[in-house]
Amino acid sequence: MFALSAVVTSLLLLEVVPSALAALTRFGPGVERLDKLTRLGLREGKVAWLVPTAGVLHTLATVALLVGIWHPAWGLVGAAAEAMFFGWVLTRQLRFGDRGKALFAYSLFASWSVLVLLVAAARL
């Protein structure tokens, strides 16, 4: 079960780490992508607090996911946080009429988060 946890957590981290770095550094293409998906006006500075907050939360979730490989309770916390974030993005996409291929990436990320959450729960 440890190996499975390490593998699924690593897959999730492939998305979470770049997202956290992009949000923390306010990297233009990362912010633009999030703005395109959520339609919050991030590029215009309408909700300026959201990007740094997402970066901090992604970073904390990343740390929890990494620690969760050895301590499943932390993995559960990190995966739950990521599942909520990716679920929120998907909800925004659906609200604004995205369908089909537009939903694939964040559906996949949310699925990985739920999978990590389930594996961590099974390890408790």
Side-chain angles (χ1 to χ4, degrees):
M1 194 63 100
F2 175 82
L4 178 61
S5 176
V7 169
V8 295
T9 300
S10 297
L11 288 173
L12 180 57
L13 288 172
L14 288 173
E15 167 53 25
V16 173
V17 171
S19 291
L21 290 173
L24 280 174
T25 61
R26 295 183 184 102
F27 182 61
V31 173
E32 190 173 312
R33 175 74 175 138
L34 184 60
D35 189 37
K36 189 175 187 181
L37 295 171
T38 61
R39 295 156 179 99
L40 289 170
L42 300 174
R43 297 298 287 166
E44 295 84 33
K46 290 183 181 175
V47 238
W49 59 270
L50 183 69
V51 175
T53 303
V56 169
L57 293 176
H58 262 315
T59 302
L60 292 173
T62 299
V63 171
L65 288 167
L66 286 170
V67 172
I69 293 173
W70 294 276
H71 303 283
W74 286 102
L76 196 69
V77 170
E82 291 301 339
M84 286 190 296
F85 176 75
F86 294 134
W88 171 74
V89 172
L90 280 170
T91 302
R92 298 278 310 172
Q93 285 184 272
L94 288 169
R95 180 176 171 197
F96 287 101
D98 289 352
R99 299 290 182 263
K101 274 174 50 174
L103 300 173
F104 177 75
Y106 277 79
S107 296
L108 183 63
F109 305 149
S111 299
W112 285 342
S113 298
V114 170
L115 182 59
V116 171
L117 192 137
L118 292 173
V119 170
R123 291 181 61 210
L124 286 178

